[in-house]
Amino acid sequence: MPMPPTLARRLQFSTPLRWLLPVVLLLFFLAILIWLPWQARQMESNERQEQLIADTLWVEQTIRFQLGRDEDSLRGLAGEIAAGQLSGERLRERMARLLKNGHELQKIVWIDPQGRVQAASDGEPAPGAPAALSEASRTTADQARRTRNGRYVQPEAQTAAPRAAPAAVMMDYHQPIYRGETYLGSLVATYQTADLLEEMVPWWFAQDNQVTLIDRDDKVLARRAAAGPGHGVYTHKRALDLPGATITLVTDSVKSAPKLLPNLLVGSVIVLSLGLLWSLLALWGHISRRLAAEGALRQQMSFRTAMENSLVTGLRARDLEGRVTYVNPAFCQIVGYPPEELVGKLPPMPYWAPEAMAEYQQRFAGVLAGTITPQFETIFQRADGERVPVLIFEAPLVDKDGRQTGWMGSILDISDRKRIEELNRQQQEKLQASARLATMGEISSMLAHELNQPLAAISSYTTGALNVLARAEQSGAAVDGAMLRPALEQAGAQAQRAGQIIRSVHEFVKKREPERQAVAIAGLLDGIRALIELQARQYYVAFQTSLPAGLPPVLADRMLIEQVLLNLTRNAIEAMAHIPPQRRVLSVLAEYDAGAGQVVVSVIDQGHGIPREVAERLFSPFFSTKAEGMGMGLNICRTAIEFHGGTLNHRANPNGGTIFTFALPAAPDRTAPEGDK
């Protein structure tokens, strides 16, 4: 019986559709089998590249950290040389110790400003011999001298062949040595670039990668290839941040690109046969990755903990209630308490000093109110009762969601800084005393000449009086008192004049603590007028003053301002030594600036003036235009005026010469000026 036409047509269409679906599924399955190995290959390639980048960054940081330690050591050595603490054999021992601690260093040489060797780590060349420096090294030494910062010399590669072993390439580092403004030379540390890789690149990294240092022109400076040359598949470049030199760290992995399975059909059979184990393998892979992540986390935590433990800055974390949640070892060392006695405690803290308790309570109230002082100084009390001055920086502690969870504080022990400030203050007082003594030394000859006049007059008057008495005794006549009185009065006046000069000198040079009080400018000038006129008469200089009648007193230390006036007037007098006598006029003017509440005093001369190149360094310490000068006079004057809250400036005199002006705060009206009482 024939088949119905409708059923036949249905069978004709259903047969191709029945075969098309398995074919599509098969093609989809094959596509997945092909895509999965390719995707796995890409993922592995990306992971290798990312791992290479991370390892390269770690190696770069290791190299830069070690070079930074060497730089700090050289700066410290330069500071000790400048301070005169190291010389001779001790200096060579310190250089040898630096070489022993840093195997990447080849040698250390101290050269003076003329390029001669002063000391060397290995004893060669001998002191006094010229240093063997390249042109680039000499240029870098000059740049380091001008900038006062250490600089590296750009190393020069000896070969540009990509696969050839590079020759030994040296790199110098120049650390300038300054004692104040005096340049004492440079410390030159020599590195061999190959040793940088040998000493600072871990062996495990060198086993998997070819490590190369190249210059700015991509020329090879050094290379380490423990496992052979790299394949150029996974590479990364990282520039070393070296001042003065451009060096790039290049890593080239010895691993080749992952390959697809050699036979997709075999791979398909393997994938199908191992399908049941896929879940176990996936679970194992998840566990492995989790363990690896935990290991990496532990490593990072250990690294960060090591960093925090190595800090010399104390760290302290507190929550919003003021409870201590974390302290590092440096903080415990500052306060002298172990972490278990600090963490979890609320104020008052055991390291709070009793005399500063009110200050602590006020700041703690600010913590509870959500405000805090970003930076302040205070004192802590150690467990043994010792007081420690500290500088504290406070900042909000924010979590990953941006919410503030507390406060983070950085604490610096500033005991050394306080001691240095006290030493500087004492040294400044000694310099001021030395300046007063130096001033008196300069006017000693004039003082002797001036004292000779009243002493000679006293001698003449007393001799005349004795002669009158002798004649009266011989003749038996009575002594005429009217004749003796003028001579004795003149002798007494001359004695008072000499005594006034001696008292002025004694009051000027005696050492005492600064004492601010209300002082009248007129009384100030009267106290040192005799000393000023002594110097003025030696150079035939006319001395003039112009002081308004209603000039208010100033709040100042009398002796310091007298020293300033004496220094300024002495400089003005000496500046007019070589001009025509009719122009030798020294003027001291004063006026009251009501807007600023200051008294402005001007010392005016008509001398030779101050050249521009001298004016730029006029107030610098140890700068002087006099052959016998110490260069501290004007610097001490400015320091004394600024100590009183005033300013010292100078400008050219339109009539020729210079005008020095200083301003001092006027004393309150209720305070009576000294000398006016």
Side-chain angles (χ1 to χ4, degrees):
M1 185 177 62
M3 186 178 300
T6 303
L7 181 58
R9 286 195 298 270
R10 187 178 301 170
L11 290 175
Q12 291 175 0
F13 285 97
S14 61
T15 300
L17 291 174
R18 184 177 57 184
W19 289 101
L20 180 60
L21 183 59
V23 170
V24 172
L25 293 176
L26 179 60
L27 293 176
F28 180 75
F29 181 74
L30 292 176
I32 291 177
L33 291 180
I34 296 173
W35 177 81
L36 284 176
W38 179 84
Q39 183 66 19
R41 177 177 176 271
Q42 289 297 110
M43 292 177 62
E44 183 179 357
S45 179
N46 292 338
E47 289 178 357
R48 290 182 181 179
Q49 182 67 29
E50 291 173 359
Q51 184 63 39
L52 178 67
I53 293 174
D55 292 342
T56 302
L57 177 61
W58 185 87
V59 171
E60 180 266 335
Q61 291 176 343
T62 300
I63 295 176
R64 191 64 192 91
F65 178 76
Q66 183 60 37
L67 292 178
R69 289 182 57 187
D70 293 342
E71 294 170 12
D72 292 340
S73 299
L74 291 171
R75 276 195 296 270
L77 184 60
E80 293 184 44
I81 293 175
Q85 299 175 359
L86 289 178
S87 61
E89 189 61 30
R90 289 188 58 198
L91 178 57
R92 287 192 294 273
E93 291 178 359
R94 284 292 305 276
M95 290 180 173
R97 195 183 312 157
L98 288 179
L99 294 182
K100 183 178 180 181
N101 294 334
H103 299 290
E104 66 280 359
L105 286 169
Q106 296 294 311
K107 63 179 180 179
I108 302 174
V109 179
W110 172 21
I111 61 175
D112 62 13
Q114 288 74 36
R116 296 188 299 268
V117 175
Q118 294 296 310
S121 57
D122 52 3
E124 295 182 2
L133 299 178
S134 64
E135 183 64 25
S137 187
R138 288 194 292 271
T139 301
T140 302
D142 186 62
Q143 294 173 350
R145 178 185 64 82
R146 292 198 307 269
T147 61
R148 294 196 175 190
N149 293 318
R151 294 183 67 87
Y152 289 88
V153 180
Q154 177 64 46
E156 298 179 0
Q158 303 299 319
T159 178
R163 295 295 179 179
V169 178
M170 300 297 180
M171 177 178 66
D172 290 342
Y173 173 78
H174 290 264
Q175 174 62 47
I177 306 174
Y178 273 88
R179 179 181 294 156
E181 297 296 328
T182 304
Y183 175 61
L184 302 181
S186 298
L187 286 176
V188 183
T190 303
Y191 295 87
Q192 184 171 342
T193 54
D195 288 345
L196 293 178
L197 299 181
E198 291 295 332
E199 295 294 332
M200 301 183 191
V201 177
W203 64 268
W204 52 265
F205 187 77
Q207 289 294 327
D208 294 334
N209 303 278
Q210 172 186 280
V211 186
T212 308
L213 294 177
I214 62 175
D215 61 10
R216 70 184 75 182
D217 298 323
D218 292 340
K219 294 182 179 180
V220 176
L221 300 175
R223 175 177 292 145
R224 182 178 179 185
H231 290 131
V233 178
Y234 305 105
T235 62
H236 186 63
K237 293 183 178 181
R238 185 75 183 181
L240 299 179
D241 184 17
L242 301 180
T246 301
I247 301 178
T248 303
L249 177 69
V250 181
T251 53
D252 189 354
S253 177
V254 299
K255 297 179 181 179
S256 59
K259 299 179 180 179
L260 290 171
L261 291 175
N263 192 327
L264 290 179
L265 293 177
V266 175
S268 300
V269 174
I270 294 174
V271 170
L272 292 174
S273 61
L274 297 179
L276 295 177
L277 300 177
W278 178 84
S279 58
L280 296 177
L281 294 176
L283 181 60
W284 178 83
H286 175 73
I287 294 175
S288 299
R289 287 192 297 272
R290 181 171 180 176
L291 292 176
E294 291 176 354
L297 180 60
R298 284 194 297 270
Q299 183 178 4
Q300 289 293 329
M301 290 297 296
S302 300
F303 177 70
R304 294 190 179 186
T305 301
M307 288 180 58
E308 294 173 359
N309 292 342
S310 63
L311 289 175
V312 296
T313 301
L315 298 179
R316 176 193 63 188
R318 295 185 290 177
D319 59 19
L320 296 176
E321 297 179 355
R323 182 181 291 103
V324 176
T325 58
Y326 169 78
V327 290
N328 71 335
F331 181 83
C332 296
Q333 185 176 1
I334 291 175
V335 300
Y337 289 93
E340 53 270 15
E341 295 187 19
L342 301 175
V343 176
K345 292 190 176 295
L346 283 167
M349 304 305 295
Y351 51 81
W352 285 7
E355 61 271 21
M357 193 65 67
E359 175 190 353
Y360 300 144
Q361 295 291 356
Q362 181 181 1
R363 297 192 186 281
F364 179 62
V367 171
L368 297 180
T371 60
I372 202 165
T373 305
Q375 176 182 344
F376 59 92
E377 290 187 13
T378 186
I379 58 171
F380 283 167
Q381 176 179 281
R382 286 183 174 150
D384 57 2
E386 180 184 359
R387 267 55 171 179
V388 183
V390 293
L391 176 61
I392 300 179
F393 299 88
E394 293 277 9
L397 187 61
V398 181
D399 62 10
K400 62 182 181 63
D401 298 325
R403 294 176 301 181
Q404 182 179 350
T405 60
W407 303 93
M408 190 68 191
S410 301
I411 295 87
L412 296 177
D413 184 349
I414 57 175
S415 302
D416 293 338
R417 194 186 79 180
K418 291 294 185 181
R419 283 193 292 269
I420 292 173
E421 290 176 354
E422 178 63 20
L423 289 175
N424 288 338
R425 186 190 64 79
Q426 296 175 3
Q427 188 66 22
Q428 189 67 27
E429 292 181 358
K430 292 179 181 178
L431 286 175
Q432 291 173 358
S434 299
R436 289 198 295 271
L437 293 176
T439 301
M440 295 312 303
E442 293 177 4
I443 65 172
S444 59
S445 60
M446 295 180 294
L447 181 63
H449 174 73
E450 185 68 16
L451 287 177
N452 280 334
Q453 296 179 5
L455 292 177
I458 292 172
S459 177
S460 298
Y461 289 131
T462 54
T463 300
L466 290 174
N467 290 334
V468 171
L469 291 174
R471 287 195 299 270
E473 291 177 355
Q474 292 175 359
S475 62
V479 177
D480 187 358
M483 181 183 299
L484 293 179
R485 181 181 298 276
L488 294 178
E489 288 178 349
Q490 290 295 331
Q494 294 298 325
Q496 290 179 359
R497 178 185 174 190
Q500 178 61 33
I501 294 174
I502 296 298
R503 282 193 298 275
S504 297
V505 174
H506 177 265
E507 287 296 325
F508 181 75
V509 300
K510 72 177 181 179
K511 183 179 183 297
R512 60 180 181 81
E513 293 296 323
E515 180 182 357
R516 295 193 186 185
Q517 55 185 336
V519 181
I521 296 296
L524 242 167
L525 283 171
D526 290 340
I528 59 173
R529 183 180 295 274
L531 300 179
I532 297 175
E533 291 177 348
L534 278 177
Q535 301 174 85
R537 279 194 292 271
Q538 183 186 15
Y539 291 94
Y540 303 100
V541 174
F543 177 48
Q544 302 176 352
T545 60
S546 177
L547 306 176
L551 188 68
V554 295
L555 189 61
D557 180 271
R558 183 186 187 93
M559 198 59 62
L560 289 180
I561 304 305
E562 284 182 351
Q563 178 181 344
V564 171
L565 282 170
L566 198 58
N567 283 344
L568 294 179
T569 55
R570 183 184 68 241
N571 291 342
I573 291 169
E574 294 176 352
M576 294 185 287
H578 303 291
I579 65 172
Q582 62 271 17
R583 294 188 55 207
R584 299 180 187 178
V585 178
L586 169 63
S587 301
V588 177
L589 312 179
E591 59 182 354
Y592 178 56
D593 185 355
Q598 293 180 326
V599 175
V600 181
V601 181
S602 300
V603 179
I604 306 172
D605 67 71
Q606 300 185 41
H608 50 69
I610 301 175
R612 178 178 299 178
E613 61 274 11
V614 174
E616 295 176 353
R617 303 177 56 194
L618 194 61
F619 295 102
S620 300
F622 307 109
F623 174 77
S624 176
T625 57
K626 306 175 187 177
E628 71 282 0
M630 297 174 57
M632 293 302 297
L634 287 177
N635 179 263
I636 291 177
C637 288
R638 169 171 278 188
T639 302
I641 296 300
E642 291 177 350
F643 169 75
H644 290 84
T647 56
L648 174 62
N649 300 293
H650 71 92
R651 66 181 187 276
N653 187 354
N655 298 323
T658 309
I659 301 175
F660 278 86
T661 302
F662 63 87
L664 294 173
D669 294 339
R670 63 178 181 273
T671 306
E674 182 185 322
D676 294 346
K677 297 179 181 179

